[in-house]
Structure formats: C-alpha cells, structure tokens
C-alpha cells in the first residue's frame, strides 16, 4: 500500500500503509532477516512513516533509499542532502538513492 500524497498522509491512509507494511516487516522479522531495505520511496512522508514502523518492529539495521523525481513537492522541495539528514534523523542506518 502506497500513499499518493506528497507532504501529508491522512490518518486513514497512514493506517492502511502501516497495516500492509507491518505484515511484511513482521514476516521478515519472524524469518530472521539481518537487515531491512526500504527502497524506491518517492514521497518523504511515506518513508518517514515506514522508517518509524520498521524501527518499532525490528532491532537490526535499516537501509532507506529515496528515488527523486521531477515532482519536487514529493520531498517537500528538499534536495538530496537535506533528505539524507532527515532519513538519518528518523533512524536510517544506511542511506541511498536509487532510480524510480
């Protein structure tokens, strides 16, 4: 489940994303994964929500990777440097950029 907003995710959409992602993360944790990778996120609000959820459910390292598009509002008009700072602040252990 992916959101479709840029800087805002309403409570209903957040709950939908958390439910879908939570099931996936719980299955990975039960399987004994060593690391979780969040990749190809274009919306800053979505990856923030995903990072918070993963950090609650998983005690290992988390890789967070953003994909930048021609829609600057997706990252609240922040460039890659600021996005990297935010991802680190929100708990990412490794930060990356990948194509969309």
């Amino acid at each position: 489940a992916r959101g479709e907003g840029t800087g805002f995710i309403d409570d209903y959409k957040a709950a939908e994303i958390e439910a879908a992602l939570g099931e996936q993360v719980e299955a990975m944790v039960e399987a004994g994964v060593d690391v979780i990778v969040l990749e190809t996120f274009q919306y800053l609000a979505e990856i923030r929500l995903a990072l918070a959820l993963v950090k609650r459910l998983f005690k290992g390292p988390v890789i967070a990777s953003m994909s930048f598009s021609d829609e600057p509002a997706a990252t609240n008009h922040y460039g890659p440097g600021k996005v990297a700072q935010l991802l680190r602040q929100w708990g990412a252990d490794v930060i990356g950029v990948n194509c969309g």
Side-chain angles (χ1 to χ4, degrees), residues 14-15 17-19 21-22 25-26 29 36 48-60 62 90-91:
I17 293 169
E18 285 182 342
L21 183 59
V25 173
E26 288 171 355
V29 170
I36 290 181
R48 183 177 193 180
L49 190 148
L51 266 170
L53 177 71
V54 170
K55 295 303 270 187
R56 273 196 321 267
L57 299 175
F58 180 64
K59 302 305 175 206
V62 179
W90 297 335

Side-chain angles (χ1 to χ4, degrees), residues 22-57:
E23 288 180 26
Q24 296 171 28
V25 173
E26 288 171 355
M28 289 185 279
V29 170
E30 287 177 22
V33 298
D34 296 318
V35 64
I36 290 181
V37 180
L38 301 171
E39 67 176 355
T40 318
F41 279 77
Q42 292 184 334
Y43 297 103
L44 203 51
E46 285 181 358
I47 201 164
R48 183 177 193 180
L49 190 148
L51 266 170
L53 177 71
V54 170
K55 295 303 270 187
R56 273 196 321 267
L57 299 175

Side-chain angles (χ1 to χ4, degrees), residues 36-55 60-68 74-76 78-98:
I36 290 181
V37 180
L38 301 171
E39 67 176 355
T40 318
F41 279 77
Q42 292 184 334
Y43 297 103
L44 203 51
E46 285 181 358
I47 201 164
R48 183 177 193 180
L49 190 148
L51 266 170
L53 177 71
V54 170
K55 295 303 270 187
V62 179
I63 300 169
S65 184
M66 288 289 295
S67 176
F68 292 86
T75 57
N76 295 19
Y78 295 142
K82 178 65 174 178
V83 169
Q85 289 175 340
L86 290 170
L87 293 175
R88 187 73 176 118
Q89 177 183 324
W90 297 335
D93 297 293
V94 176
I95 297 160
V97 175
N98 63 298

